[in-house]
Coordinates of all heavy atoms in Angstrom, one line a residue:
T1 N 104.4 112.7 114.1 CA 103.4 113.7 113.7 C 102.1 113.4 114.3 O 101.4 114.3 114.8 CB 103.4 113.7 112.2 OG1 104.7 114.1 111.7 CG2 102.4 114.8 111.7
T2 N 101.6 112.2 114.2 CA 100.3 111.8 114.7 C 100.5 110.9 115.9 O 101.0 109.8 115.8 CB 99.5 111.0 113.7 OG1 99.3 111.7 112.5 CG2 98.1 110.6 114.2
P3 N 100.3 111.5 117.1 CA 100.5 110.7 118.4 C 99.8 109.3 118.3 O 98.6 109.3 117.9 CB 100.0 111.6 119.5 CG 100.0 113.0 118.9 CD 99.8 112.8 117.4
Y4 N 100.5 108.3 118.7 CA 99.9 107.0 118.7 C 98.6 106.9 119.5 O 97.6 106.3 119.0 CB 100.9 105.9 119.2 CG 100.4 104.5 119.2 CD1 100.5 103.8 118.0 CD2 99.8 103.9 120.3 CE1 100.0 102.5 118.0 CE2 99.4 102.6 120.3 CZ 99.5 101.9 119.1 OH 99.0 100.6 119.0
A5 N 98.6 107.5 120.7 CA 97.4 107.4 121.5 C 96.1 108.0 120.9 O 95.0 107.6 121.2 CB 97.7 108.0 122.9
Q6 N 96.3 109.0 120.0 CA 95.2 109.7 119.4 C 94.8 109.1 118.0 O 93.8 109.5 117.4 CB 95.5 111.2 119.3 CG 95.8 111.8 120.6 CD 96.3 113.2 120.5 OE1 96.2 113.9 119.4 NE2 96.9 113.8 121.5
A7 N 95.7 108.3 117.5 CA 95.5 107.8 116.1 C 94.3 106.8 115.9 O 94.1 106.0 116.8 CB 96.8 107.2 115.6
Q8 N 93.7 106.9 114.8 CA 92.7 105.9 114.4 C 93.3 104.9 113.5 O 92.8 103.7 113.4 CB 91.5 106.6 113.8 CG 90.7 107.4 114.7 CD 89.4 108.0 114.0 OE1 89.3 108.0 112.8 NE2 88.5 108.5 114.8
Y9 N 94.4 105.3 112.8 CA 95.1 104.4 111.9 C 96.5 104.3 112.3 O 97.1 105.3 112.8 CB 95.0 104.9 110.4 CG 93.6 104.6 109.8 CD1 92.6 105.6 110.0 CD2 93.3 103.5 109.1 CE1 91.3 105.4 109.5 CE2 92.0 103.3 108.6 CZ 91.0 104.2 108.8 OH 89.8 104.0 108.3
V10 N 97.2 103.2 112.0 CA 98.6 103.0 112.4 C 99.3 102.3 111.2 O 98.6 101.8 110.3 CB 98.7 102.1 113.7 CG1 98.2 102.9 114.9 CG2 98.0 100.8 113.5
T11 N 100.6 102.4 111.2 CA 101.4 101.8 110.2 C 102.8 101.4 110.7 O 103.2 101.9 111.7 CB 101.5 102.7 109.0 OG1 102.1 102.0 107.9 CG2 102.4 104.0 109.3
N12 N 103.5 100.6 110.0 CA 104.9 100.3 110.2 C 105.7 101.2 109.2 O 105.6 100.9 108.0 CB 105.1 98.8 109.9 CG 106.6 98.5 109.9 OD1 107.5 99.3 110.2 ND2 106.9 97.2 109.6
P13 N 106.4 102.2 109.7 CA 107.1 103.1 108.8 C 108.2 102.5 108.0 O 108.7 103.1 107.1 CB 107.6 104.2 109.8 CG 107.7 103.5 111.1 CD 106.6 102.5 111.1
S14 N 108.6 101.3 108.4 CA 109.8 100.6 107.8 C 109.4 99.4 107.1 O 110.2 98.6 106.6 CB 110.8 100.3 108.8 OG 111.3 101.4 109.5
G15 N 108.1 99.1 106.9 CA 107.6 97.9 106.3 C 107.7 97.9 104.8 O 107.7 98.9 104.2
H16 N 107.8 96.7 104.3 CA 108.0 96.5 102.8 C 106.6 96.5 102.1 O 106.6 96.5 100.9 CB 108.6 95.1 102.6 CG 110.0 95.0 103.1 ND1 111.0 95.9 102.7 CD2 110.6 94.2 104.0 CE1 112.2 95.6 103.3 NE2 111.9 94.5 104.1
Y17 N 105.5 96.5 102.8 CA 104.2 96.5 102.2 C 103.6 97.8 101.8 O 102.5 97.9 101.3 CB 103.2 95.8 103.1 CG 103.5 94.3 103.3 CD1 104.1 93.8 104.4 CD2 103.1 93.4 102.3 CE1 104.3 92.4 104.5 CE2 103.3 92.0 102.4 CZ 103.9 91.5 103.5 OH 104.2 90.2 103.7
G18 N 104.3 98.9 102.1 CA 103.9 100.2 101.8 C 102.6 100.6 102.4 O 102.3 100.5 103.6
L19 N 101.6 101.1 101.5 CA 100.3 101.5 102.0 C 99.5 100.3 102.6 O 98.6 100.6 103.4 CB 99.5 102.1 100.8 CG 100.0 103.4 100.2 CD1 99.3 103.7 98.9 CD2 99.8 104.5 101.3
K20 N 99.9 99.1 102.3 CA 99.2 98.0 102.9 C 99.5 97.9 104.4 O 98.7 97.2 105.1 CB 99.6 96.7 102.2 CG 98.6 95.5 102.4 CD 99.0 94.4 101.5 CE 97.9 93.3 101.6 NZ 98.2 92.1 100.7
N21 N 100.5 98.5 104.8 CA 100.8 98.5 106.3 C 99.9 99.4 107.1 O 99.9 99.3 108.3 CB 102.3 99.0 106.5 CG 103.3 97.9 106.3 OD1 103.2 96.8 106.7 ND2 104.3 98.2 105.5
I22 N 99.1 100.2 106.4 CA 98.2 101.1 107.1 C 96.9 100.3 107.5 O 96.2 99.8 106.6 CB 97.8 102.3 106.3 CG1 99.1 103.1 106.0 CG2 96.8 103.2 107.0 CD1 98.9 104.2 105.0
L23 N 96.6 100.3 108.8 CA 95.5 99.5 109.3 C 94.8 100.3 110.4 O 95.4 101.2 111.0 CB 96.0 98.2 110.0 CG 96.6 97.1 109.1 CD1 97.4 96.1 109.9 CD2 95.6 96.5 108.3
P24 N 93.5 100.0 110.6 CA 92.8 100.6 111.7 C 93.5 100.2 113.0 O 93.8 99.0 113.2 CB 91.4 100.0 111.6 CG 91.2 99.6 110.2 CD 92.6 99.2 109.8
K25 N 93.7 101.1 114.0 CA 94.4 100.7 115.2 C 93.6 99.7 116.0 O 94.2 98.9 116.7 CB 94.6 102.0 116.1 CG 95.5 101.7 117.3 CD 96.0 103.0 117.9 CE 94.9 103.7 118.7 NZ 95.4 104.8 119.5
M26 N 92.3 99.7 115.8 CA 91.4 98.7 116.5 C 91.8 97.2 116.2 O 91.5 96.3 116.9 CB 90.0 98.9 116.3 CG 89.5 98.7 114.9 SD 87.7 99.0 114.7 CE 87.5 98.5 112.9

């Protein structure tokens, strides 16, 4: 849905940490 190249935030969609997996791409 959100292209990786354009994203400011990224996540592991299969991670066990839930929302904690969301991090600034930088």
Side-chain angles (χ1 to χ4, degrees):
T1 300
T2 302
Y4 182 82
Q6 300 171 17
Q8 294 183 342
Y9 287 86
V10 291
T11 189
N12 172 2
S14 304
H16 296 302
Y17 290 101
L19 291 170
K20 198 170 186 177
N21 279 313
I22 300 173
L23 293 165
K25 190 169 70 174
M26 66 179 184

